[in-house]
Each structure stands twice: as C-alpha cells, then as structure tokens.
Amino acid sequence: MIITSANLAALNRGFRTVFLDAYHGGGATPYVDTFAMRTQSMAADELYGWLGSVPGLRELIGEVQIRNLVDHNFRIVNKEFESTIGVKRADIERDRFGIYNPLFQAMGMSARQHPDELLFNLMMAAFETPCYTGKNFFDANHEPQAGKTKFSNKGTKKLSATNFEIARANIKSRKNAEGRPMNLGTDLILVVSPTYEATARQILQADFVEKTAKNAAGTENVGASAITNVNKGTARLAVVPYLAAAEHNWFLFDLGYPVKPFINQIELDTEFVSLDDPRSEHVLLKKEYLHQAYRRGNVGLGMPELAYGSTGADAA
C-alpha cells in the first residue's frame, strides 16, 4: 500500500472499527455496571460527602428537620489509563497491516474489561482500604456518624452454608444512621472465586442438603439425611475468575438499594485516537504510526452498609 493521507485515514477507520466491535461486542454486561454506581466526574477528583447521609422518612412533629451532608471528606481520585499499539510503516507498505487486527481486537476487549479489573482488585483490597467511615471498607465497628448506629461487615471464615446465613442476617439487620432498619436483603448476590463455585452452587441452588449429626466427640457424622435447602434462591451467584488472586475471599452484596457498594467514576470514557501525521517526530524517527485506547476515571468504594466480606482465612 502506498502511504497517502487517504490510505492512512482508511486504514485508521479499519483499525477503529475492529477495536470498537471488540469493545462493544463483549456480550455479557460488565460486572462494574452491576456492582457500582456510575458517576460523571468533571475534575481530577470528586468529593462524596453524601455517603452516610441517606435519609429515612420521619413523622413531622414540630419543625422540619433538614438533613445536610455529613462532612466525611471522602474523595475518589481519577487516574489515566492507556494501551498503545505501534503499526510499522514497512508493514503498511508491504500490505501486512492485517496482522495487527488481533491486537486491536485484544485492545478493545481489554478496554471493556478494565473497569471490572479495577473493581475486583479494589474488592480484594477492601479489607485494608479505608472508606468514608474512616474504617476499612470491610471492618468491625463502622460508625457513619459519631454517636449513631454502628455496624460490622467483616468475617474471617471460609464459605459454608452456616457462614452464608450469618452474612445474610448481617446485611438484613443493617440500620441507617438514625437507627432505623434499611430493609436490605431484597436483591443479594454472593461473589466467589472459581475455587468455591461448587460450594456456592450447593448453598444457593441445591434442592436438598445433607443433614449431619456428630457423635459425642464431635468428629463423626451420624445418621446423615437429606433436608430441604432453606437457602435456595436467597441470593444470586457470581463466580469471578479475577478473585483467583485471593481465592478464599468471598462477598455478599445488596444490589437492591438506589446506591451501590462501589462507585464507577468516569471523567473521560474510553476513546480511540491515532497519530498518523507523517510530519510528527515519532513517525519520522520510529517509522511507525500510533493507535491508542485512552480513558480517565477510577473505581472507588461506596457504601459498606450494603456489603459483607470474609477473608476466608479461618476454617468454616
């Protein structure tokens, strides 16, 4: 192919199409759209002073009580992300530019999946990452407002039916800052690594479970029998390959609330840009044209009230 402005423009459109087809053709809804509330950012960071100020109705006695934002000073800082591919001038002139299509497909898929990667990396790190309460997102004795209702949302035991029930009761008993029930538990989702997929499916999808009794020493099963699985259908299930990095971690979230456990903050959504000016210094010196996926934003912590997490460090 002869290098001309028209030919380069046509080639760039082709690469862009390959990228966008892969970016939009991922099929399944990204996890970040499920677990995180999308917010638009207009600056380098955003303040979320409203976290912890979710109101409930009260009987009007006397004057109206105006609820103002609590000064938590919790911010999410935007970051820049990019992926850049260099297309050699020689490959274009030799009509070998088709070899780059798989790279642009991979770039499109990676750009689509990147917010999910941020989400689950943050989820695994949330045992040691402070949220708006000043405590780690998964921690004991959260106190959204001083002197108001406290709560804990952290466990340490591996996934089992009993520990799932504890987590579910934990979320369902959550109260707001005024000490009133938040009425959670209408849309729960259990999140596990592939290691615990079979255990999670047994908890949430089996019709029957085995009832066991132990002998006096507490070491043997006696008279095992099948009973109705009372946990069937009490939560949805998400088996997430990203969690293989911390395979024993498991989580339970309430997604039926207007606010979400996490925040997907977007300053600039993913864009595809190209450098194909033959007069540019890079093209002159490197003899290659650049194509880049670029975005600005971040995934941050939202409301720990809607979450329960266990490290899975202790025996079930």
Side-chain angles (χ1 to χ4, degrees):
M1 177 185 285
I2 298 174
I3 301 292
T4 66
S5 297
N7 285 342
L8 284 176
L11 188 62
N12 292 346
R13 287 195 297 271
F15 287 149
R16 178 188 295 273
T17 298
V18 171
F19 170 85
L20 291 176
D21 284 348
Y23 182 80
H24 294 294
T29 301
Y31 282 113
V32 73
D33 292 344
T34 299
F35 292 94
M37 179 180 64
R38 181 185 175 105
T39 65
Q40 185 63 51
S41 175
M42 303 300 293
D45 59 25
E46 297 294 337
L47 175 66
Y48 291 87
W50 53 264
L51 289 172
S53 300
V54 178
L57 293 180
R58 58 177 288 274
E59 182 181 0
L60 179 56
I61 300 176
E63 295 185 356
V64 170
Q65 292 183 6
I66 300 175
R67 294 172 175 85
N68 295 312
L69 297 185
V70 178
D71 187 17
H72 289 298
N73 200 34
F74 182 73
R75 296 179 181 272
I76 296 177
V77 178
N78 290 317
K79 296 181 179 181
E80 294 181 284
F81 304 98
E82 62 82 26
S83 178
T84 305
I85 294 176
V87 177
K88 297 294 185 183
R89 171 179 173 173
D91 286 332
I92 296 175
E93 293 176 329
R94 293 166 181 159
D95 292 330
R96 298 183 68 248
F97 44 83
I99 63 175
Y100 290 92
N101 284 344
L103 288 178
F104 286 104
Q105 287 178 320
M107 177 193 278
M109 292 180 62
S110 296
R112 178 181 175 84
Q113 296 168 357
H114 183 252
D116 284 354
E117 184 179 354
L118 294 179
L119 169 69
F120 290 112
N121 284 342
L122 178 61
M123 193 179 294
M124 290 182 285
F127 295 99
E128 298 178 348
T129 306
C131 65
Y132 83 90
T133 68
K135 292 275 192 174
N136 293 327
F137 187 78
F138 296 115
D139 212 332
N141 297 321
H142 286 281
E143 191 174 8
Q145 296 186 35
K148 302 285 187 175
T149 303
K150 296 182 179 181
F151 70 91
S152 299
N153 68 343
K154 177 185 177 182
T156 62
K157 292 187 177 181
K158 290 180 172 58
L159 180 64
S160 68
T162 298
N163 293 327
F164 167 77
E165 291 166 4
I166 291 172
R168 184 165 171 256
N170 179 285
I171 288 181
K172 288 171 70 72
S173 63
R174 198 79 77 233
K175 298 178 181 179
N176 64 18
E178 298 170 349
R180 297 165 61 187
M182 294 180 68
N183 195 32
L184 301 180
T186 58
D187 186 12
L188 296 174
I189 184 166
L190 176 63
V191 183
V192 301
S193 73
T195 301
Y196 288 88
E197 179 175 2
T199 301
R201 291 192 183 280
Q202 179 69 29
I203 294 170
L204 297 179
Q205 299 173 3
D207 292 320
F208 300 96
V209 294
E210 186 179 76
K211 180 181 180 182
T212 60
K214 293 184 178 180
N215 61 17
T219 57
E220 296 181 3
N221 294 329
V222 179
S225 61
I227 60 172
T228 301
N229 180 15
V230 296
N231 291 318
K232 181 180 179 181
T234 55
R236 292 183 284 150
L237 175 62
V239 181
V240 180
Y242 288 109
L243 296 187
E247 61 179 343
H248 300 299
N249 287 179
W250 60 275
F251 309 92
L252 188 65
F253 298 101
D254 187 297
L255 302 181
Y257 211 63
V259 185
K260 301 299 181 185
F262 299 92
I263 296 171
N264 182 21
Q265 180 173 290
I266 298 172
E267 181 183 2
L268 177 67
D269 222 336
T270 303
E271 63 178 15
F272 184 89
V273 293
S274 299
L275 174 64
D276 59 0
D277 185 350
R279 295 168 298 180
S280 73
E281 182 178 355
H282 184 89
V283 173
L284 286 172
L285 296 179
K286 301 295 184 180
K287 300 297 185 281
E288 67 179 1
Y289 303 92
L290 301 181
H291 305 273
Q292 183 181 85
Y294 174 79
R295 66 183 296 266
R296 291 197 304 273
N298 207 351
V299 176
L301 299 170
M303 291 185 66
E305 290 93 335
L306 308 177
Y308 180 94
S310 178
T311 62
D314 299 331

